[in-house]
Structures are given as structure tokens and as C-alpha cells.
Amino acid sequence: MDFHADYRMLINGQLVAGDARIEVVNPATGQVFATAPDCAEADLDEAVRAAQAAFPLWRATSLPERQAMLRAAGDLLRAHAAELAPLFTREQGRPLQGALGELEMSAQWFHSCADMAPPVHRKSAGEGQIAETVHVPLGVVCAISPWNFPVMLSVWKLAPALLAGNTIVLKPSPFTPLCMLKIGEILKDAFPAGVLNIVTGGDALGPLMTAHPGFAKVSFTGSTATGKQVLQSCGRQLKRVTLELGGNDAAIVLPDVDLDEVAIKIFMGSFYNSAQICVASKRLYVHEDIYEALRDRLVGLARALKVGNGEEADAVFGPVQNRRQFDRVQGLLERARAAGMTLIEGAKVPDNGGYFVPITIVDNPPEDAEVVVEEAFGPILPMMRFSDIDEVITRANASEYGLAGAVWSKDIEAATAIARRMETGTVWINQNLNLRPDVPFAGHKQSGFGVENGTEGLLEYMVPQTVYRPGSL
Ligand code: NAD
């Protein structure tokens, strides 16, 4: 298999080049380096038709058979992870080690997902009667994923949807289509033809998919603005929908922390993957007693760690992933500077046409500043002082988003009490970015609609079916 050419879609067990192409840019150079298929409406129809045709047999396979196929798919992905990593870096921008990490974690996700099973509930339903509730698959799932974790966030959908007995058509982001196309080639024979389909295309393809009457469910990860369009589109046919959307996560740092221990963890929780993580800490609230000490440590790290082409061994951070995001981040920085805020820049970045942005800490901006209120999704971290716990919780919760958050303290009970008052689906204490296949992940407020991961996430790909019958418990 050539990992650097010949990118084709997977439709009905066949690799399909399609007639038209979209260009794929390496964000570290700003140059086009490959093309991917631009799926035509007829090819999408064929993928949906194939998935519909494969559904009856796939749902009839036993759970242990489906679990075994998912594990085998994970093994195949792991076996090719090292070959895929350079391609991942070239299209996504993240340095090689992190690219490999995502690929290996995705392989493991297939395995962990395969260990799950939908629950069966039996209840007494009157004299000599029981009600037995099982969960049945929905049909064909439409999965749409973003560019920041292009493989893992696709596998978060593929693995549970297939385990549940659905068939699927997946569309990765037009900014990062290549790894998922190669993974389609790797997994071509891992499932019966039509069970797994992968299509790529430009901006028109997503809306075409969400409006397609052949899908029973849409699982979408991306921005809140797009999520609202997806929900509207799904509403027309009452398709089931799961939305994992944006976040503007707050981290609260109490004065009792050991700064030498936590500074690097807080730093990475904000800036890993050039801060393009839905659950990155994007607003850092630091107690006034340690504000300067933590700020100086974070600035020291920003100056010491290299931002560069992810193919270079010593690059810790890569570029911002695409031109659109780069322009957005530059705009936020320019307006913050123009408004007189103090911006502290980290290490110098290459000036080569790539989408590089220096790691930037905004020193105690006003609470209503654009850099605080908006999800930057780039390496800008607003850092604000606080003195009172109740007040900082109010500030943390004053967001339309509610994805995740973090609390840093040696007092675990106090930190837990704060965590429970945060209006988000996930809160980490003295850690961050820890997400697991067997633990539910749900955005509150405008960060989401529904759940991914855990049994709750699996059940989003199923509906309950109850049979009342004579019997006893
Ligand atoms: P995006 O909304 O621009 O695109 C996401 C996907 O939707 C892409 O595949 C895109 O092609 C497709 N799309 C675009 N318009 C569409 C439409 N009208 N109908 C259907 N599909 C459409 O988001 P992005 O810029 O790729 O990703 C960044 C955003 O994703 C950030 O806001 C980030 O916080 C969020 N995100 C959330 C999670 C989570 O789990 N909550 C995880 C990662 C990223």
C-alpha cells in the first residue's frame, strides 16, 4: 500500500477514486501536497444504498462476531500506525510522536469498544408477566468528523456504531481526509462489503449527507455553528442526532498547588495540538497569590518549547491546521493587541508560508474580552486573576459552552466540590484531556446534544425495544 498517493473512497467494499478532486494542504508549508476524492451525489447515493443493503445481515451477526471484527480492525490499524504517522503529520500538522499517539489510541479504542455490550433489562410487568427491554440498531449512520483529531474522533463514531449493529458512511473533514481514506483501504476487508463506507469531499458534501433520507442517524463532531445547521437538517426527517460541539473550558487554579509540578500539565492541557482541542483549557483562572509565579512558568515553557514543522524531531508544537483557522486566530490576536491587552509570546515560529502562530499568553484581559468569551481554537491562552471561589465559579460558568473544565488543588475534597458546581459535562482534578472509551462524554449547554463513549454513548446508536411476555424474574 502506498501511503503517500492514490487516495480513494471506500464504497461497498470497493476503492473508488471518483471523478473530481479536492486539494489537501500541508499546514507546515501552506502548499498543496495531495488531492482527495470530491464525492459526487451519485457516489454518496451508492454508499448509502450499499450500507442499507448490508444492514440486515450485519445486524443479524452475533455480538461476539461483531466484537471480534472490531478487535481485528484495531489490530490492523495498530499494525499500520507507524506508516500512517508521517501522512498524519503532513495533513494535520501535529508532530510525529503525537500523530503516532492518536493512531495507536484509535486502535486501542476499537478494542475497548469491542469489550462493551448493550444492557438487557427485565422487569416484572404484572402477575406472571415480564417486560424485557433490549436495544436494537438504528440502520445507516452518517458520521461527520473534524480536523483536529481526524482519526480518533472518526473512530469514536465508527466503533460504537458498528458494534451496535448499524452500518455507516463516514465523512472526515476536507482539511484532513487522507488518513481516514488510507484507513478505509486498510479496513477494506475487515467488515462485510457496505458495512463501513468512507467518503470525502468539499463543503457541499456535509449538508448533502445530513439531508439524505437514507440515514437513520447523524453523529457529528465540529463547531457549534455547524452543529445547529446539522440539527435543523436532521429535524426535517426526525433523524436521530448526536452533536459534539465547541467548548471554552475554564481551568481554576487554587493557591495551594505545587507550581513546579502542575505548570507543565496546565500548559499542555491548554496548548497540546496547538490548542486545537475541544476540551483544552481555554480560560485560565489563577488565584491572585500565585498568579505571577504561574504566569512566569508558563511563559518560560512557551519560550523553551519549539513550534515548527512536525516532521522535525524536536518540534513540540506544529502549525495551526488550516488557513481559515490561522486567519481567525490572527484576527483574535490583532484585535486583542489593538484593544491594549498585554500579549506575551513564546518561541519564534517559522516564517515560510506555513500556518504558524507563536504560543501566546494574554495577561489578565477583561472578562468580556473577545479572547476570553470566544473559543479561539488556537494557541492563545487568556489568563485571569481571581480571589474569591464563588465569584470565579460564576465567571467559569458564564459561558454558552459547557464541555469540560479543570480544577487544580492539593485539597481534593474542596476541588471536587468546585467541580460539581461547574456547568460542564466533564471536570478534571489535577489533570486534563483524559477521555476514555468506557466513560460518558457529554457536552452541556451549547457544547453538545447527546453523549459519546461509555454505555450511554453506545446506546445513542440504538433504540430500546421492549417485549412483554409471560414469565417471571
Ligand atoms: P466544522 O463545524 O467547521 O466542521 C466539522 C465537520 O462538519 C467537517 O467534516 C465539515 O466538512 C462538516 N460540515 C461543515 N459544514 C457542514 C454542514 N452544513 N452540514 C454538515 N456537515 C458540515 O468544525 P471544525 O472547524 O472542523 O472543528 C473545530 C470545532 O469542532 C471546534 O469548535 C471544536 O471545539 C469542535 N470539536 C468538538 C469536539 C467535541 O467532542 N465536542 C471535538 C473536536 C472538535
Side-chain angles (χ1 to χ4, degrees), residues 144-148 153 156 171-175 202-203 206-207 210 220-224 226-227 229-230 244-247 277-278 282 324-325 375 377 403 441 447 452:
I144 298 180
S145 56
W147 45 260
N148 62 331
L153 295 178
W156 278 24
K171 185 193 89 62
S173 166
F175 294 116
D203 289 344
T210 60
F220 171 87
T221 301
S223 63
T224 295
T226 310
Q229 291 175 24
V230 170
E244 290 294 353
L245 308 176
I277 308 187
C278 53
K282 293 172 185 148
R324 190 183 72 186
Q325 197 56 28
E375 177 189 33
F377 221 58
L403 197 55
F441 174 60
S447 286
E452 283 198 300

Side-chain angles (χ1 to χ4, degrees), residues 224-298:
T224 295
T226 310
K228 289 176 184 173
Q229 291 175 24
V230 170
L231 189 57
Q232 265 186 342
S233 172
C234 291
R236 288 187 200 109
Q237 289 146 354
L238 228 55
K239 291 188 182 98
R240 261 91 183 154
V241 62
T242 300
L243 304 174
E244 290 294 353
L245 308 176
N248 196 11
D249 296 0
I252 298 174
V253 190
L254 301 187
D256 66 347
V257 293
D258 178 343
L259 285 173
D260 288 328
E261 195 192 315
V262 302
I264 181 73
K265 295 180 187 166
I266 292 173
F267 184 85
M268 283 300 176
S270 288
F271 291 112
Y272 184 68
N273 200 35
S274 300
Q276 301 164 122
I277 308 187
C278 53
V279 290
S281 296
K282 293 172 185 148
R283 294 177 290 150
L284 186 59
Y285 292 100
V286 184
H287 192 274
E288 59 185 2
D289 292 354
I290 53 162
Y291 181 89
E292 277 83 11
L294 179 58
R295 181 197 59 200
D296 294 347
R297 280 172 173 80
L298 297 182

Side-chain angles (χ1 to χ4, degrees), residues 130-207:
I130 58 167
E132 186 177 74
T133 304
V134 300
H135 295 85
V136 297
L138 295 164
V140 184
V141 170
C142 162
I144 298 180
S145 56
W147 45 260
N148 62 331
F149 282 77
V151 175
M152 198 167 81
L153 295 178
S154 297
V155 172
W156 278 24
K157 302 183 186 310
L158 290 183
L162 296 182
L163 179 73
N166 304 283
T167 55
I168 194 163
V169 182
L170 168 85
K171 185 193 89 62
S173 166
F175 294 116
T176 52
L178 303 179
C179 274
M180 283 316 300
L181 289 171
K182 281 294 158 193
I183 289 171
E185 196 172 336
I186 290 165
L187 300 183
K188 182 170 148 319
D189 301 316
F191 304 98
V195 169
L196 167 64
N197 303 274
I198 300 178
V199 297
T200 56
D203 289 344
L205 186 57

Side-chain angles (χ1 to χ4, degrees), residues 350-410:
D351 180 16
N352 66 342
Y355 308 144
F356 292 101
V357 177
I359 286 184
T360 306
I361 290 166
V362 189
D363 192 4
N364 204 31
E367 195 68 23
D368 61 354
E370 187 190 22
V371 278
V372 180
V373 176
E374 296 243 331
E375 177 189 33
F377 221 58
I380 317 171
L381 179 65
M383 192 175 166
M384 283 82 68
R385 289 170 185 275
F386 79 88
S387 54
D388 178 78
I389 290 289
D390 290 335
E391 185 234 338
V392 78
I393 294 172
T394 303
R395 288 161 74 187
N397 286 338
S399 171
E400 66 188 20
Y401 296 111
L403 197 55
V407 184
W408 298 84
S409 171
K410 282 189 184 140

